[in-house]
């Protein structure tokens, strides 16, 4: 049997989890190339919704092919073939709000709220009308990050006036849920509170509503995706492996509920010394970049771990506003521009 037939027969034993057919008959294999020295390379075209399965297929294919005599090296490139499902027919727009953008992360504490707050301010400084909603029922933090110390009012007891801060319209689930309420009681309250936040707040006309999600892939995410037409999602991850695995789960969840993932943000990407401005790669830097390539989504920003970012947040004015000319301020401004460009490209441009 020729080397090529041995390779295709081996690959035919691998099954595409989506169709149940083998990957060769399914046409997922493209550009198979075998050099005279036994180097095998090809593209494996998979659906982004099944990225984890794609990665497993790639591993299995590599180990199968490496066992074949005459094969010296195997290189498989995964490409994502995007087939987003139609939006949930029950998902509705929020009247007056042009784009709803969610900021999520697979794991807690990676800097999602910091990113959401700086991104909202960056978009606002581009003369866009921007709102921000803190949908983290378990640890609402935007009021602190944006320096809010009052509660929203209502003129008629039904509709809520959002708070205005730094030119942003702002609401937090924290306003609706008593901080002392035990965590297990918060879940059942969530759907009602989320509905109120989206439908009973006078958001007015907005170009973008940024939603800071709770970490992980829980009820808030699903309820949001099922009830509200979301323009896109951004996933924040730190460079460590564990956070990346979690980020992948986050990405898969958004794709499963048909929310386009606009890209990844690597936070705490490297350490910038506040004294000498020296850059140190504390974690192996570049992990998110590689992951973004594998997943076929853009890496929108690499944000350093810098004390000024935390200090600005603690003072209630995100760094993109308090020090827009700083390198970190610039990174968030660029992020805002990239996000806006990709929202404009999306269906409702
Ligand atoms: N790039 C950064 N440089 C320095 N500090 C940062 C950076 N990003 C976030 N932080 C700090 O790390 C802590 C966690 O950030 P943040 O609250 O934004 O994370 P989160 O993902 O929203 O967390 P949670 O999952 O609890 O909601 C905060 O104290 C924040 O000020
Ligand atoms: Mg948070």
């Amino acid at each position: 049997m020729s080397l090529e037939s041995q390779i295709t027969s081996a690959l035919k034993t691998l099954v595409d989890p989506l169709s149940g057919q083998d990957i060769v008959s399914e046409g997922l294999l493209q550009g198979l190339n075998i050099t005279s020295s036994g180097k095998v390379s090809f593209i494996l075209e998979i659906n982004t919704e099944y990225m984890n399965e794609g990665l497993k297929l790639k591993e299995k294919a590599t180990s199968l092919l490496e066992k074949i005599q005459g094969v010296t090296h195997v290189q498989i490139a995964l490409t994502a073939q995007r087939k987003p499902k139609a939006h949930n027919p029950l998902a509705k727009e929020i009247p007056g709000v042009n784009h709803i953008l969610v900021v999520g992360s697979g794991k807690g504490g990676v800097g999602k709220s910091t990113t959401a707050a700086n991104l909202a301010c960056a978009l606002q400084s581009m003369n866009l009308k921007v709102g921000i909603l803190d949908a983290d029922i378990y640890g609402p933090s935007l009021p602190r990050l944006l320096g809010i110390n009052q509660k929203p009012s209502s003129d008629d007891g039904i509709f809520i006036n959002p708070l205005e801060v730094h030119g942003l319209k702002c609401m937090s689930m924290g306003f609706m849920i008593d901080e002392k309420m035990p965590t297990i009681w918060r879940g059942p309250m969530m759907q009602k509170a989320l509905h109120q936040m989206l439908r009973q707040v006078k958001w007015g006309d907005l170009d973008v509503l940024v939603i800071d999600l709770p970490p992980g892939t829980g009820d808030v995410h699903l309820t949001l995706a099922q009830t509200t037409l979301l323009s896109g999602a951004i996933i924040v991850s730190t460079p460590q492996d564990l956070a990346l695995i979690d980020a992948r789960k986050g990405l898969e969840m958004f794709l499963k509920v048909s929310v386009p993932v606009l890209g990844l943000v690597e936070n705490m990407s490297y350490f910038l010394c506040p004294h000498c401005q020296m850059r140190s790669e504390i974690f192996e830097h570049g992990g998110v970049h590689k992951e973004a390539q594998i997943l076929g989504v853009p890496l929108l920003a690499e944000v350093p771990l810098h004390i000024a970012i935390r200090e600005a947040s603690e003072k209630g004015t995100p760094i993109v506003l308090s020090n827009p000319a700083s390198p970190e301020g610039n990174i968030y401004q660029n992020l805002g521009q990239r996000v806006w460009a990709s929202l404009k490209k999306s269906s409702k441009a």
Side-chain angles (χ1 to χ4, degrees), residues 295-310:
L295 298 176
V297 296
L299 174 61
L300 296 168
E302 292 174 295
V303 182
L305 174 67
H306 196 289
I307 196 161
I309 296 180
R310 186 183 57 74

Side-chain angles (χ1 to χ4, degrees), residues 225-287:
Q226 278 159 3
T227 59
T228 314
L229 212 49
L230 304 173
S231 301
I234 288 178
I235 295 169
V236 182
S237 180
T238 55
Q240 301 101 307
D241 265 346
L242 189 65
L244 284 185
I245 293 166
D246 290 313
R248 211 177 287 159
K249 277 191 227 145
L251 182 120
E252 281 182 356
M253 185 215 54
F254 286 120
L255 292 167
K256 275 188 185 143
V257 292
S258 318
V259 176
V261 174
L262 304 185
L264 303 181
V265 170
E266 182 173 77
N267 191 35
M268 313 193 195
S269 178
Y270 49 93
F271 175 68
L272 260 192
C273 172
H275 307 293
C276 65
Q277 297 305 318
M278 201 179 101
R279 174 176 169 145
S280 320
E281 315 282 345
I282 311 185
F283 309 113
E284 199 193 353
H285 174 239

